[in-house]
Amino acid sequence: MKMLQVWCRFAGSGKIILLVLLALASSALADTRGKLTGHMTVSKTGEPLIGMIVILQGTSMGTVTDVDGYFVIMNIAPGTYNVRFSGVGYESKTVQGVVISSGQTTTLNEKLSEQVIVGREVVVVAERPIVDTRQTSSVAIMNKEQIAVLPVQNLQDIVNLQAGVVDGHFRGGRKGEVQYQVDGVSINNPLTNDPVVSLDRSVLQEVQVISGSFDAEYGQAMSGVVNAVLRSGRNDALDWSAEMYVGDYVGFGKNSKYPYLDRIDPLAIQSYQLTVSGPTGLPKTTFLLSGRKLVSQGFYLGTRVFNPTDNSDVNAKIINPTGDNKLIPLATNDEWSGQFKVTNSSLEGIQLSYQAILSLTNNKPYQFGYRYNPDGVKTPRSYSLVHGLDFTQMLGEKVFYTINLRQNKIDYRDNKYEDIYDPRYYQAKEPKSGGQDVYDGAIIQGVDLGRYMEKTTQNIIKASLTAQVTNIHMVKIGAELQLSDITYGKPGVIDRDSITGALIPYVNSPLFPAPQNYTPISFSAYAQDRIEWKDVAVRGGVRVEYFNARTTVPSDLQNPANTITGYPTSEPKKTTPKIVVAPRLGISYPIMVNGSIYFSYGHFYQLPAINTFFSNSDYSVLKNLAGGSSSYGVIGNPDIKPEFTTQYEFGMKAQLSDYFGIDGSLFYKDIRNLLGVEIIETYNSSRYTRLTNVDFGNVSGFTLALDFRISNSLNASLDYSNQFALGNSSDPSETAVRAAAGKDANPREIPFNWDQRHTLNGQVVFQVPNNYSLTAIAKYASGQPFTPIIGTGFGADLEDNSGRKPSSVTVDVRAEKQFAVSGIALTGFIRVFNVFNTSFFNGFVFSTTGSPDYTINPTASDRVQLTNPDRYFAPRRVEIGIAIHGSSMIE
């Protein structure tokens, strides 16, 4: 009820109410359910079998074959099932281990013999194809069994294993161009375009990563989609599991590149996780409850030589440290996370569920400058909640609809002390450095005075209607309404008075305004048809998206603050609603037995993170703009258009033998209207920079994935990505920075910062079910670009991003052994990340050498940087743990 009241508050105009009604009437849920289809015939004659019964064992789902022997079962939750076929006069047959995946079609074409022996039943094990030849783009799907044996812990670890993904960049796009969903509903924070919550692998039923073009049902993304499907409880059993592991980072010995890391603390990393699921005791009602606690001290350590309240006379070089010289972790994680889900299906054809995902974090970021004054660092605190209702009703065997009401909340605070008037601020005062001659310029007194807050509530209404209108056509129509309430900014600023020198708190002053509140609205609708005829697949659709920032911008940008007399005045002008139309098409066509070629094309639109184009959007700060002044930073622009990508993909998938499959694709992305800056000249010849849609880029390349299933115990995969990611700037403010530095600010095409030309991921899994397993993952990455420097001073830079960093390789492994004690299943495991202690993986390099290890420029900043371990990759991490599994069948 509370969520409905919030939605009504947003729907203050007739237009918005109409949009809500349209959303509920027409319906947009991403595919989190799968479909089972097939054709049943008589084994000897090939004639269609009519009226045969098809049942998913352990569920209430089933159907009968039509007059042509075809059957379809829709709205199936992802998982592994046993499918039973039966009918009068014919033998019964059970196919075990049938895998159903989100948004995919599983086909079982079965032949039954006439019954000779009464009661005879045939049992076979389903063969899962190495490649899915009906896919029309690049899609990777991993179920919970595959995830369980990998050296990964959370959703992001799984995503980074996929071909075409480079440190969060999908096929050369900027970060933040990926849509993250849980059970088909977005969990992206509109302020940052990052996921609101982090998901532990223990709650994941299936993960789907789309790195190629994607269907019309997905929006607000230009580079990819990640859809996580969460587990649910069972009606017939009470299941429980627990996992605990401890570990530490193991460095490079006494000459470690990380100070003090030769001291091993086996409890530096601790994780405790518990999951319980099963029936609630109410009719056909199940639950799942999971919780996790994670504590990590990280691998950056400093020494408490100083306290924040120390008072040294830096000018006189009189240093008075009062610290206790203890080793202090400089970057720590302290997280609580949990999930609750309850599902009811007591009414025929109706399923109602509520789920909540909660995360509480208290993570201290690494700040090298505070390595001798670690108590002066502020610690961000975050509370995140994703919760809501899902309602699904079958209107017939081949028609169902789903309505979702979700709310994504985040409350983020980043300050040393909550109260701006806290006396500890003014006792410690602002941070001060001892200069280059004292502790290499480290901060030796004071606390970080920075203050920031974010409070976001996003209410989402989604609905979908899916109908199998014929045996080959499945149609979906849908819509989605997102109502956001965002407040972010600085909750007061502590600044030094220019006359008295005292620290003064400013709260909502003209110079330091209070956090701003915004209530943008977005709406989308789509129609989509999936055609599956024999081995031919076609996915076509169109999506319409609407966005309204619901704020104002100056009507005349040449007099933005109305301070230039004698010229036209500027009035607040409402931002214009943005409407775009995005067609999508994908085709898969067979060219051989178990092999097909595919092609996909689509238009993809996305708004950048709101904190990018809303920030610094108060044009009144330009009231003192004078000729030639450029001290106001890049001014925000809430009236931007969505960024736009046209994507093409052509590929081939084939299963060349019983144990070998191949998937190769060529892709090209034309990227337009990227967020960049324009330089605006006022009536008095002053200039300022403002965000607008001017940047561009393009990405081309190919991926090649090989899958080996050598035996039931041994399988391996290898994928290679080659890409050329080019554009005029890697960051929206890059052009403004170039202009301020006196460089040529005209557009040009150079490699993006993340232009990693060669990426290779290899994976080997050897396992004996219910006994032991060993998994190894190797990653190779060629060097990303950097800008070389020759000499010092103006003009020393070479062409931007014309140099390449060193290439690198990392290896992660996981080994586990399963055993039983008193009927309880136990699993002992060990995970080692970065086994060979790779010290560099596309991180920082010195511009004079292209190496993280040395520089030929003996400046003070380079000397300090040579002592900063942050320029290196994370060292070897070892974790040892045990997992316990139990299940009790309920009659």
Side-chain angles (χ1 to χ4, degrees):
M1 188 66 186
K2 185 176 180 180
M3 283 195 289
L4 289 174
Q5 291 173 350
V6 174
W7 285 318
C8 291
R9 179 170 60 87
F10 274 98
S13 67
K15 293 181 180 179
I16 301 304
I17 294 176
L18 177 60
L19 291 179
V20 175
L21 294 176
L22 286 172
L24 292 175
S26 64
S27 5
L29 178 71
D31 263 335
T32 62
R33 298 296 178 112
K35 181 176 74 171
L36 177 67
T37 186
H39 188 214
M40 295 187 64
T41 58
V42 180
S43 59
K44 288 185 178 181
T45 65
E47 295 178 355
L49 285 169
I50 304 171
M52 304 301 288
I53 300 173
V54 185
I55 294 177
L56 267 67
Q57 293 183 333
T59 75
S60 59
M61 306 186 75
T63 187
V64 295
T65 58
D66 63 15
V67 294
D68 296 314
Y70 288 97
F71 70 90
V72 174
I73 303 177
M74 302 177 63
N75 195 31
I76 307 173
T80 302
Y81 298 88
N82 296 335
V83 183
R84 190 173 189 269
F85 302 89
S86 63
V88 177
Y90 293 89
E91 66 183 1
S92 297
K93 186 176 185 179
T94 299
V95 182
Q96 298 178 338
V98 179
V99 176
I100 304 295
S101 297
S102 304
Q104 310 303 317
T105 298
T106 299
T107 302
L108 287 179
N109 295 323
E110 296 298 331
K111 298 179 180 181
L112 297 186
S113 301
E114 293 185 25
Q115 191 176 53
V116 178
I117 303 174
V118 177
R120 179 186 175 189
E121 181 165 347
V122 179
V123 178
V124 298
V125 177
E127 291 187 12
R128 186 179 182 185
I130 295 178
V131 294
D132 185 352
T133 57
R134 286 190 175 184
Q135 293 286 2
T136 59
S137 65
S138 296
V139 180
I141 299 175
M142 302 189 71
N143 58 36
K144 64 179 182 179
E145 290 79 15
Q146 294 170 305
I147 295 170
V149 297
L150 295 177
V152 296
Q153 189 60 44
N154 55 47
L155 176 62
Q156 197 59 54
D157 294 338
I158 299 168
V159 172
N160 285 330
L161 293 178
Q162 309 309 317
V165 180
V166 177
D167 190 27
H169 299 272
F170 278 49
R171 288 192 171 179
R174 286 178 174 176
K175 277 192 174 180
E177 294 182 355
V178 179
Q179 175 72 219
Y180 285 86
Q181 300 187 339
V182 168
D183 288 345
V185 183
S186 172
I187 60 168
N188 278 27
N189 181 356
L191 186 68
T192 62
N193 275 352
D194 294 324
V196 172
V197 291
S198 176
L199 295 173
D200 184 70
R201 67 178 194 157
S202 62
V203 301
L204 298 174
Q205 175 69 33
E206 182 179 88
V207 174
Q208 184 181 92
V209 180
I210 308 175
S211 55
S213 57
F214 37 91
D215 291 342
E217 62 187 298
Y218 299 106
Q220 188 56 12
M222 293 200 303
S223 292
V225 175
V226 176
N227 190 20
V229 180
L230 303 186
R231 299 184 188 182
S232 298
R234 296 191 295 168
N235 270 309
D236 60 349
L238 181 65
D239 299 318
W240 59 274
S241 65
E243 181 184 85
M244 183 272 289
Y245 67 81
V246 296
D248 195 10
Y249 291 89
V250 181
F252 303 84
K254 293 185 178 180
N255 295 321
S256 170
K257 298 178 180 180
Y258 294 88
Y260 316 112
L261 207 60
D262 54 313
R263 307 184 184 189
I264 299 176
D265 179 1
L267 300 179
I269 301 172
Q270 301 178 52
S271 175
Y272 307 93
Q273 184 270 330
L274 175 65
T275 300
V276 182
S277 65
T280 62
L282 300 174
K284 293 186 178 181
T285 304
T286 63
F287 79 97
L288 183 143
L289 180 63
S290 180
R292 182 181 183 225
K293 171 66 173 177
L294 172 66
V295 178
S296 175
Q297 296 183 15
F299 50 88
Y300 299 111
L301 298 174
T303 309
R304 188 190 282 130
V305 177
F306 297 90
N307 286 311
T309 53
D310 285 350
N311 190 9
S312 299
D313 189 337
V314 175
N315 294 329
K317 296 186 178 181
I318 300 174
I319 310 301
N320 299 310
T322 65
D324 54 15
N325 293 308
K326 286 186 178 180
L327 284 181
I328 304 296
L330 298 180
T332 60
N333 293 338
D334 188 351
E335 302 178 5
W336 284 97
S337 60
Q339 182 215 357
F340 173 71
K341 185 174 184 179
V342 59
T343 304
N344 177 275
S345 55
S346 58
L347 298 178
E348 184 67 27
I350 294 177
Q351 179 174 293
L352 177 65
S353 66
Y354 170 81
Q355 68 175 7
I357 305 171
L358 176 68
S359 177
L360 300 171
T361 65
N362 192 8
N363 298 337
K364 182 168 67 174
Y366 174 68
Q367 294 194 47
F368 180 60
Y370 285 87
R371 60 195 179 277
Y372 300 116
N373 177 24
D375 296 329
V377 177
K378 55 191 173 96
T379 302
R381 300 169 301 283
S382 177
Y383 160 81
S384 304
L385 174 65
V386 174
H387 72 123
L389 295 169
D390 299 324
F391 177 87
T392 301
Q393 182 176 15
M394 298 292 299
L395 301 179
E397 286 191 352
K398 297 182 179 181
V399 182
F400 69 93
Y401 71 92
T402 303
I403 297 176
N404 306 83
L405 304 178
R406 293 284 180 86
Q407 188 177 71
N408 301 335
K409 296 174 66 71
I410 184 168
D411 191 339
Y412 177 85
R413 308 280 171 167
D414 187 10
N415 45 57
K416 179 62 179 177
Y417 307 114
E418 188 69 25
D419 187 356
I420 193 173
Y421 300 104
D422 193 306
R424 289 173 292 182
Y425 271 129
Y426 308 97
Q427 293 168 3
K429 301 180 181 178
E430 73 271 36
K432 286 187 178 180
S433 165
Q436 296 299 327
D437 296 331
V438 180
Y439 291 93
D440 291 324
I443 294 170
I444 62 172
Q445 65 186 57
V447 299
D448 191 332
L449 300 180
R451 296 176 58 81
Y452 177 82
M453 64 80 63
E454 171 207 339
K455 193 169 185 178
T456 297
T457 299
Q458 183 184 40
N459 297 289
I460 302 174
I461 304 175
K462 296 189 74 171
S464 68
L465 176 66
T466 305
Q468 189 77 37
V469 294
T470 71
N471 284 332
I472 64 173
H473 285 275
M474 188 177 80
V475 176
K476 293 188 71 174
I477 58 174
E480 172 184 350
L481 177 67
Q482 293 188 6
L483 308 168
S484 299
D485 186 345
I486 302 171
T487 301
Y488 78 101
K490 297 179 180 180
V493 174
I494 301 174
D495 197 21
R496 180 169 290 280
D497 186 90
S498 59
I499 299 177
T500 65
L503 291 182
I504 304 295
Y506 296 91
V507 179
N508 196 20
S509 68
L511 190 60
F512 303 109
Q516 301 296 301
N517 178 257
Y518 303 97
T519 57
I521 292 177
S522 65
F523 173 79
S524 61
Y526 73 87
Q528 181 171 297
D529 186 13
R530 186 198 303 180
I531 304 172
E532 294 172 331
W533 178 69
K534 295 184 178 180
D535 291 326
V536 178
V538 178
R539 292 179 180 236
V542 63
R543 184 179 184 89
V544 179
E545 300 191 20
Y546 166 95
F547 175 80
N548 192 340
R550 299 216 301 176
T551 187
T552 61
V553 292
S555 59
D556 192 337
L557 297 176
Q558 293 184 277
N559 191 9
N562 288 329
T563 55
I564 306 175
T565 57
Y567 290 91
T569 59
S570 182
E571 303 295 334
K573 179 183 68 172
K574 290 184 178 181
T575 53
T576 57
K578 309 299 185 299
I579 301 176
V580 295
V581 179
R584 317 274 173 86
L585 176 65
I587 301 172
S588 176
Y589 185 82
I591 57 172
M592 57 185 289
V593 177
N594 296 327
S596 65
I597 58 174
Y598 61 91
F599 168 79
S600 62
Y601 163 84
H603 288 189
F604 305 92
Y605 293 89
Q606 183 184 23
L607 281 159
I610 285 177
N611 66 355
T612 302
F613 61 91
F614 271 88
S615 290
N616 200 25
S617 59
D618 182 1
Y619 287 75
S620 66
V621 300
L622 299 174
K623 60 185 178 182
N624 295 320
L625 188 67
S629 174
S630 58
S631 59
Y632 298 95
V634 177
I635 301 299
N637 178 13
D639 204 23
I640 64 166
K641 298 181 292 185
E643 298 176 327
F644 171 55
T645 293
T646 304
Q647 188 169 173
Y648 307 82
E649 184 176 17
F650 176 81
M652 183 190 77
K653 299 185 180 190
Q655 182 170 326
L656 301 180
S657 70
D658 291 340
Y659 59 86
F660 177 57
I662 184 172
D663 182 354
S665 68
L666 302 170
F667 62 88
Y668 176 77
K669 297 166 65 174
D670 184 26
I671 310 169
R672 301 291 168 179
N673 288 338
L674 283 177
L675 202 58
V677 298
E678 60 181 344
I679 300 175
I680 296 178
E681 185 170 316
T682 65
Y683 291 120
N684 64 353
S685 298
S686 299
R687 291 185 176 186
Y688 66 95
T689 56
R690 174 181 185 255
L691 289 173
T692 191
N693 300 95
V694 294
D695 282 358
F696 58 87
N698 65 82
V699 183
S700 59
F702 69 90
T703 61
L704 180 64
L706 309 176
D707 198 345
F708 305 87
R709 296 184 187 173
I710 302 169
S711 68
N712 290 332
S713 300
L714 180 62
N715 61 79
S717 64
L718 184 69
D719 64 71
Y720 168 73
S721 300
N722 173 268
Q723 70 176 23
F724 294 80
L726 309 174
N728 71 307
S729 66
S730 302
D731 181 85
S733 61
E734 185 175 314
T735 301
V737 174
R738 289 178 57 80
K743 298 180 180 180
D744 183 6
N746 290 319
R748 79 277 195 241
E749 188 175 75
I750 61 171
F752 286 133
N753 292 344
W754 54 88
D755 177 41
Q756 191 166 290
R757 296 288 167 85
H758 307 284
T759 306
L760 190 66
N761 295 324
Q763 179 180 306
V764 178
V765 179
F766 180 78
Q767 61 178 334
V768 177
N770 302 317
N771 194 347
Y772 62 90
S773 69
L774 176 64
T775 305
I777 295 175
K779 304 176 187 177
Y780 165 81
S782 63
Q784 295 174 4
F786 78 100
T787 302
I789 293 178
I790 297 179
T792 59
F794 182 80
D797 295 7
L798 296 182
E799 184 178 353
D800 286 353
N801 281 351
S802 59
R804 287 282 166 176
K805 300 175 182 179
S807 59
S808 49
V809 176
T810 63
V811 176
D812 303 334
V813 299
R814 174 188 169 96
E816 68 175 39
K817 174 68 172 121
Q818 299 177 11
F819 50 95
V821 176
S822 300
I824 298 177
L826 303 176
T827 301
F829 64 88
I830 180 171
R831 299 188 301 201
V832 184
F833 300 88
N834 192 9
V835 174
F836 299 110
N837 260 335
T838 297
S839 63
F840 179 79
F841 201 87
N842 272 320
F844 168 87
V845 295
F846 289 100
S847 299
T848 56
T849 63
S851 168
D853 296 320
Y854 67 98
T855 176
I856 61 174
N857 187 3
T859 62
S861 61
D862 277 4
R863 289 198 305 271
V864 172
Q865 186 64 25
L866 283 168
T867 66
N868 185 356
D870 189 40
R871 70 191 192 278
Y872 291 117
F873 187 63
R876 180 193 298 119
R877 185 170 94 241
V878 180
E879 296 170 349
I880 301 175
I882 188 168
I884 306 174
H885 311 272
S887 181
S888 300
M889 300 303 296
I890 297 176
E891 298 296 333

